[in-house]
Amino acid sequence: MNLYAIKSIYRFEMARAWRTLTQSIISPVLSTSLYFVVFGAAIGSRIPEVDGVSYGSFIVPGLIMLSLLTQSISNASFGIYFPRFTGTIYEVLSAPVSYLEIVIAYVGAAASKSLILGVIILATAGLFVDLRIEHPFWMMLFFVLTAITFSLLGFIIGIWADGFEKLQLVPMLIVTPLTFLGGSFYSIKMLPPFWQTVTLFNPVVYLVSGFRWSFYGIADVSPALSLGMTVFFLVACIALVAWIFKTGYRLKP
Amino acid sequence: MTTMLSVSNLSKVYEGGFTALKDINLDIRRGEIFALLGPNGAGKTTLISIICGLVNASAGKVTVGGHDIVDDYRAARSLIGLVPQELTTDAFETVFSAVSFSRGLFGKAPDPVYIEKVLRSLSLWDKRNNKIMTLSGGMKRRLLIAKALSHEPRMLFLDEPTAGVDVELRRDMWNLVRGLREDGVTILLTTHYIEEAEEMADRIGVIRKGEIILVENKATLMHQLGKKQLTVHLQSPLDAVPDSLAAYALERGEDGHALTYTYDTEREHPGITDLLADLNTAGIGFKDVNTTQSSLEDIFVSLVKK
Ligand SMILES: Nc1ncnc2c1ncn2[C@@H]1O[C@H](COP(=O)(O)OP(=O)(O)OP(=O)(O)O)[C@@H](O)[C@H]1O
Ligand SMILES: [Mg+2]
């Protein structure tokens, strides 16, 4: 293992986040706070409790998932796309670094950033609503696994993209809709039966449900199923990344 | 002398079917400076990119310091420093952190003292805390060299290091490269400037349309270049060179209207005055004399034009 290389890339990526502090931390915190003001306080006060949890508290896990997903993807995709775009990737490709080390460094940095962000959002939420975490261990597990999985997905997008538009395409057209429709702001039990079934094809439902269960012990689908799906997505992303590196896809002519 | 870089039967066909390299064979010796000359699009960058791991080869084998660049890429790449042709740098990093980053990437423990030495040798020390985007083009080029040297490579690839660099800086770079060679670093540089190859290289290779068409010691090439030709245009044609002039090995040309004498400029007595005197003695009158010398440039152009 070339640990110095992993450390170098990781540090470089974290320094980038630090330089763009406003963009990478303050803006997500601000938008989350706005969600709380609108959904939690303004609208939430007129919505009855969901399974014994006040609406404001109910949406916290979903909101964290929302930023975890979008931030992991955008951090990781940008992190690898940008050096490809400017050409500075030549240095990483010519270094005695294995693909595994490259992934650990880039994905690790992206996941770290979104985890830090998740914690900040959690703390911000604590200022607005009552929070309780019934299953801290499982909460951490869902938290970390999701950050890694979606950072991997972002990494894949960053390698696949051949323009800045494509970089935005997947997050905008797929991830954001799926997250909004994934039960971040409601329990899928509130939907008509037909839509409840349709929703089960949305992978985000499993992530949000499992994460919310670790907070309040309430879930739309069984926690075991949630965990199974989370691990499944992780493995799928790892397999895809392995394929990319095996073929040199879009990294080396 | 041992081999540092060995390229055998290397070919590259780019996606889309363009053949950029055809069956390249090339050995670079440990500690030498090798200049690769060739016109635009000849395949110089492609060759370097394959050796450094930026482009996949279509066929063939490359070893660096005896390590295969695919099977044993870690060992091979640890030995290599690459200065790319394009000025590709980050923008917001500082000079010092960018060079330290490169060192880490190549698996070496941080060594600020060494980094300082490298930055000083490239006159970048004063700029160490500046963001890269505030550097001039020539400074960025030197930064790329500093990054390539940050991990103490044993073989350095310089892809057109002096393109767009002023005369003074070019001299500095030549001196730097010589200094590296003294430390035993093997150097492969590509260039369009013949004078650069002439100034720096131990051996010169010429690549054209993906094929190496010449590899020669510079000294041998220069020796050929050291020869000059003196042509004497005669007043009346000669059927044969008189025996009294046999020692000069003259060649008859222009249907006997001219005699050509080939001599070595590096010799103390090229024999020109003797020849002219002997021509007089033999009663051969002449109207004019002129001398010609082919330069490395001429050889290069004639090779590449074919
Ligand atoms: N990624 C690529 N895909 C397809 N063709 C390529 C690619 N990179 C280079 N080529 C082609 O391969 C040939 C050799 O290019 P290369 O960059 O190796 O030339 P070069 O000798 O370095 O030229 P120059 O002196 O202009 O730098 C060119 O015809 C170029 O168009
Ligand atoms: Mg080139």
Side-chain angles (χ1 to χ4, degrees), chain A residues 1-2 4-5 8-9 12 15 19 86-88 90-99 101 247-248 251-253, chain B residues 12 14 52-56 73-74 77-78 84 88-90 92-93 101-102 104-110 144 147:
Chain A
M1 270 276 172
N2 184 346
Y4 285 118
S8 286
I9 298 175
F12 180 92
R19 272 199 309 267
T86 60
T88 53
Y90 88 85
E91 217 183 359
V92 176
L93 292 178
S94 69
V97 185
S98 71
Y99 289 135
E101 287 153 6
T247 59
L251 276 171
K252 290 187 187 185
Chain B
K12 175 63 190 177
Y14 277 113
C52 296
L54 307 181
V55 170
N56 290 321
Y73 68 93
R74 268 195 215 267
R77 289 184 196 169
S78 303
T88 41
T89 57
D90 294 304
F92 304 105
E93 296 288 299
F101 170 81
S102 303
L105 210 50
F106 278 76
K108 293 251 175 163
L144 288 181
K147 281 164 87 68

Side-chain angles (χ1 to χ4, degrees), chain B:
Chain B
M1 203 176 271
T2 54
T3 303
M4 184 64 184
L5 168 72
S6 168
V7 177
S8 31
N9 308 110
L10 187 71
S11 296
K12 175 63 190 177
V13 182
Y14 277 113
E15 223 173 289
F18 181 79
T19 304
L21 295 176
K22 292 172 206 155
D23 200 32
I24 300 277
N25 288 286
L26 181 67
D27 279 354
I28 310 280
R29 299 163 194 153
R30 199 175 291 273
E32 77 171 331
I33 299 181
F34 189 94
L36 190 59
L37 290 168
N40 286 136
K44 303 180 294 294
T45 301
T46 302
L47 177 61
I48 289 181
S49 300
I50 291 176
I51 298 166
C52 296
L54 307 181
V55 170
N56 290 321
S58 306
K61 183 178 158 74
V62 178
T63 63
V64 178
H67 308 287
D68 188 281
I69 57 156
V70 179
D71 298 335
D72 201 3
Y73 68 93
R74 268 195 215 267
R77 289 184 196 169
S78 303
L79 299 173
I80 296 177
L82 166 65
V83 182
Q85 181 175 0
E86 306 288 335
L87 282 178
T88 41
T89 57
D90 294 304
F92 304 105
E93 296 288 299
T94 66
V95 168
F96 194 88
S97 69
V99 178
S100 306
F101 170 81
S102 303
R103 187 180 168 86
L105 210 50
F106 278 76
K108 293 251 175 163
D111 185 349
V113 178
Y114 178 76
I115 304 279
E116 175 174 347
K117 194 183 125 204
V118 170
L119 287 178
R120 280 189 192 281
S121 73
L122 287 156
S123 321
L124 282 172
W125 182 243
D126 292 340
K127 298 275 177 188
R128 63 187 178 281
N129 294 321
N130 288 40
K131 284 187 178 167
I132 294 170
M133 60 183 181
T134 67
L135 300 184
S136 76
M139 291 173 190
K140 281 184 188 154
R141 172 87 46 204
R142 277 179 279 158
L143 172 68
L144 288 181
I145 298 178
K147 281 164 87 68
L149 294 178
S150 66
H151 62 279
E152 301 159 66
R154 300 312 295 157
M155 167 141 211
L156 186 65
F157 291 87
L158 297 158
D159 199 353
E160 293 185 34
T162 53
V165 157
D166 69 23
V167 181
E168 198 185 340
L169 183 53
R170 189 173 301 172
R171 296 267 156 210
D172 287 352
M173 271 188 201
W174 291 350
N175 288 332
L176 179 89
V177 168
R178 281 197 202 92
L180 288 169
R181 202 249 309 259
E182 265 154 41
D183 294 340
V185 178
T186 309
I187 291 151
L188 190 154
L189 62 90
T190 74
T191 179
H192 290 135
Y193 303 108
I194 317 289
E195 52 174 291
E196 191 157 81
E198 228 170 294
E199 177 82 29
M200 305 287 310
D202 297 310
R203 283 199 303 153
I204 291 175
V206 177
I207 183 170
R208 176 182 48 120
K209 292 184 189 153
E211 288 176 283
I212 300 249
I213 51 178
L214 169 99
V215 174
E216 190 60 270
N217 282 326
K218 186 183 66 180
T220 313
L221 274 179
M222 295 317 282
H223 186 68
Q224 287 169 8
L225 300 179
K227 296 235 166 43
K228 262 187 145 177
Q229 291 190 316
L230 175 81
T231 305
V232 182
H233 299 274
L234 306 176
Q235 273 161 351
S236 42
L238 278 181
D239 292 334
V241 180
D243 287 346
S244 60
L245 300 173
Y248 297 102
L250 299 174
E251 277 172 56
R252 259 171 11 103
E254 296 172 27
D255 291 329
H257 281 91
L259 292 173
T260 303
Y261 170 56
T262 306
Y263 62 98
D264 193 338
T265 49
E266 283 158 26
R267 263 198 3 225
E268 217 168 309
H269 296 290
I272 297 171
T273 40
D274 293 349
L275 172 66
L276 296 180
D278 286 349
L279 280 171
N280 253 332
T281 317
I284 301 170
F286 49 89
K287 316 184 270 202
D288 198 7
V289 291
N290 71 292
T291 61
T292 53
Q293 175 176 35
S294 60
S295 65
L296 187 49
E297 184 117 21
D298 293 335
I299 294 185
F300 176 63
V301 169
S302 69
L303 275 172
V304 160
K305 273 213 177 124
K306 274 183 214 157

Side-chain angles (χ1 to χ4, degrees), chain A residues 157-185:
Chain A
I157 293 169
I159 284 178
W160 163 78
D162 49 14
F164 277 99
E165 314 79 51
K166 278 196 183 171
L167 211 56
Q168 304 291 347
L169 207 67
V170 176
M172 239 174 55
L173 290 186
I174 301 174
V175 178
T176 310
L178 285 185
T179 319
F180 271 91
L181 301 175
S184 297
F185 299 108

Side-chain angles (χ1 to χ4, degrees), chain A residues 112-136:
Chain A
S112 307
K113 279 184 265 182
S114 46
L115 285 176
I116 292 171
L117 197 76
V119 171
I120 293 176
I121 292 175
L122 187 64
T124 314
L127 301 177
F128 291 91
V129 293
D130 288 332
L131 288 178
R132 67 171 199 274
I133 300 172
E134 283 184 12
H135 309 285

